[in-house]
Amino acid sequence: MTLPRFSPDSDPGPDFLGLLQRLDRSPSWDGVPVDANQITHGTTVVAIQTLDGVVMSGDRRATSGHLISHRTIEKVFPADQHSGVAIAGAAGPAMEMVRLFQLQIEHYEKVEGRPLSLDGKANQLSQMLRSNLPAALQGLGVVPIFAGFDEKLQKGRLFEFDITGGRYEEKDFAASGSGSLHASTVLKLRHNGKLSTDEAIDLSIEALFHAADEDSATGGPDPIRGIYPVVAVINSSGFTRIEDSELATRTNTLVEKVTGERS
Amino acid sequence: MNMPMYVSPEQVMKDRADYARKGITRGRAAIVSVFSDGVLLCAENPSNTLRKIGEIYDRIGFIGVGKYNEFDQLRVAGVRHADLKGYSFSREDVDARWLANQYAQTLGQYFTHEMKPLEVEIAIAEIGEEPGSDQIFHLLYDGTVMDTETFVVIGGETETVKTRLEESWKSNQPLTVVLNQAVNALAGPDRTLKADDLEVAVLGRGNGRRAFHRIENETLDEHLSEN
């Protein structure tokens, strides 16, 4: 490996994916259709709009067909300081997409000397999904959620996507993955359009709790092993992941509430 | 048949070196210095948009003087190379020593094989986990590499600025002290440099994964006012 040099007309500029392409290093999933039971799938993730930003969460289960393949997989990642990406779908391509997405944003910022806008980041993810479409049709679909704090508009924003790269901005909440239907119902019933961060954290735990109750591929809280969802808060001060100890306390409160209502 | 005129290799190299050096000394000097909690990168640069200092990777910073388009091209090549290496292997496998070697090869290649040498002088710095483990690499237009663990002056009237800084510089000083020493050395006895005339960044040990951080506007004024 020597320093990459390009003539002006083939220079990839601040585009890391373009750089990989020119060096023939783009990841490729070309080939025969894969059996969905053979590969690892990530399941339910949600994002909630709050008064001062967004809260993102994801359960910890990964499945291969009817088997639980991993109990502690992470599906919510920082994209950069003020945004995050949560993934559902084929875990391998999804993780690779997140890694490339993070690199793409940081690479742009370093080469250009200033960060991409939030819309610019969402658009980048959209293009990555579009180029993943052939793989998605083979059975390696990835359906992420992108959320962040827009420093220009001074508010949190949420984006849902589909496998073709379609990008849909949502107002109150977004959900993706096999348990998203059940999680969405909880979010829809409880979201009043003016949630504080604190309320949104509790709501995201509750939504995932109910999704896990209905969907076998979504993992619920596991106090025996100390496994709780990944929850991250994104606001003007950046991306912060909530500690497991705090999530344990909040989960206990939720369980007590549900138990109390039944007694 | 026309025979090309014979020019001795010594003369060719000397001419090329003189040409590069002339271009580099025309600009302003820049300083990279270690301080108690990281590395300071400081350049005299009246422009707010055409940068001399840049972030290469998590713990690596870049500073260049000379012809803007040439050192900026090297900076971008460094970012690309570092990001590619981090993508192929792991983030911790990207280090400044390796990058300095790559720069040296490229500069050497230009110096001996291309139409004209690059009229640039660059330095790259990497902060270590502990104080005392920081590294600075200084690269000349012909690919010569030098490393130091204290400070380096590049471009402009290098020797004069270096002598001025040597008088006050000590190891393990706080940022504000080193910054003011560097600014005074760049300015000399007859001038005062204001925040607008400077481009300043640090690689700080307390800055998290991406150690590179620019010091601008009010923050820079505050540091300079403690002079």
Side-chain angles (χ1 to χ4, degrees), chain A residues 45 56 75 84-89 94 97-98 101 125-126 128-129 141-147 159-163 165-166 174-177:
Chain A
V45 290
M56 297 184 94
K75 306 170 199 172
V85 58
I87 48 153
M97 191 178 286
V98 168
F101 182 53
L125 189 57
S126 194
M128 292 173 77
L129 282 161
V142 179
V143 190
I145 300 174
F146 176 67
F159 298 89
E160 277 184 357
F161 297 86
D162 62 27
I163 54 165
S176 179

Side-chain angles (χ1 to χ4, degrees), chain A residues 108-167:
Chain A
Y108 180 96
E109 187 184 333
K110 287 192 288 193
V111 172
E112 287 291 299
R114 64 194 172 111
L116 265 171
S117 64
L118 197 75
D119 281 306
K121 291 170 204 165
N123 193 21
Q124 279 295 326
L125 189 57
S126 194
Q127 287 174 23
M128 292 173 77
L129 282 161
R130 196 170 62 207
S131 59
N132 193 58
L133 183 60
L137 296 176
Q138 278 165 232
L140 295 170
V142 179
V143 190
I145 300 174
F146 176 67
F149 182 78
D150 192 324
E151 287 180 280
K152 206 169 141 201
L153 303 176
Q154 287 293 307
K155 63 167 192 153
R157 292 172 71 188
L158 314 166
F159 298 89
E160 277 184 357
F161 297 86
D162 62 27
I163 54 165
T164 65
R167 176 170 92 250

Side-chain angles (χ1 to χ4, degrees), chain A residues 18 22 30 82 97 126-127 141 149 173 186 197 201 203 208:
Chain A
R22 281 178 191 54
D30 287 351
H82 286 103
M97 191 178 286
S126 194
Q127 287 174 23
F149 182 78
F173 62 86
V186 177
T197 300
I201 295 172
L203 178 56
L208 290 175

Side-chain angles (χ1 to χ4, degrees), chain B residues 16-17 20-21 24 107-108 111 117-118 120-121 139-143:
Chain B
R16 283 171 170 259
R21 232 177 279 145
I24 295 160
L107 285 161
F111 187 73
L118 293 179
V120 296
E121 198 170 332
L139 291 114
L140 301 185
Y141 52 85
D142 61 353

Side-chain angles (χ1 to χ4, degrees), chain B residues 50-192:
Chain B
L50 302 176
R51 307 281 202 187
K52 294 183 176 181
I53 299 172
E55 174 186 13
I56 297 278
Y57 210 64
D58 295 351
R59 310 179 76 79
I60 305 173
F62 173 99
I63 191 164
V65 293
K67 216 168 169 210
Y68 173 77
N69 70 320
E70 293 182 348
F71 68 71
D72 199 56
Q73 205 183 322
L74 288 175
R75 177 187 69 84
V76 172
V79 171
R80 285 181 180 152
H81 203 11
D83 276 347
L84 275 173
K85 193 178 180 192
Y87 171 67
S88 302
F89 304 108
S90 137
R91 297 199 81 90
E92 60 194 278
D93 297 317
V94 181
D95 63 357
R97 185 195 56 82
W98 159 85
L99 188 66
N101 281 333
Q102 299 297 328
Y103 274 138
Q105 282 192 20
T106 302
L107 285 161
Q109 175 86 5
Y110 269 101
F111 187 73
T112 43
H113 295 291
E114 301 284 328
M115 271 289 285
K116 75 168 204 61
L118 293 179
E119 296 159 69
V120 296
E121 198 170 332
I122 62 174
I124 55 171
E126 178 179 33
I127 54 158
E129 297 287 335
E130 304 295 326
S133 58
D134 304 328
Q135 282 181 314
I136 302 170
F137 294 92
H138 176 193
L139 291 114
L140 301 185
Y141 52 85
D142 61 353
T144 309
V145 198
M146 289 159 282
D147 73 322
T148 168
E149 286 170 10
T150 54
F151 71 87
V152 59
V153 180
I154 60 172
E157 297 167 339
T158 312
E159 287 308 314
T160 328
V161 176
K162 194 176 163 193
T163 319
R164 282 201 287 258
L165 187 54
E166 264 167 356
E167 282 166 16
S168 54
W169 197 91
K170 283 193 287 285
S171 66
N172 218 11
Q173 300 179 112
L175 174 61
T176 309
V177 177
V178 179
L179 177 56
N180 279 300
Q181 286 171 355
V183 173
N184 290 337
L186 289 173
D190 308 324
R191 297 190 304 153
T192 352

Side-chain angles (χ1 to χ4, degrees), chain A residues 229-243:
Chain A
V230 175
V231 181
V233 173
I234 309 169
N235 52 29
S236 57
S237 44
F239 181 104
T240 325
R241 195 170 149 172
I242 307 294
E243 296 288 331

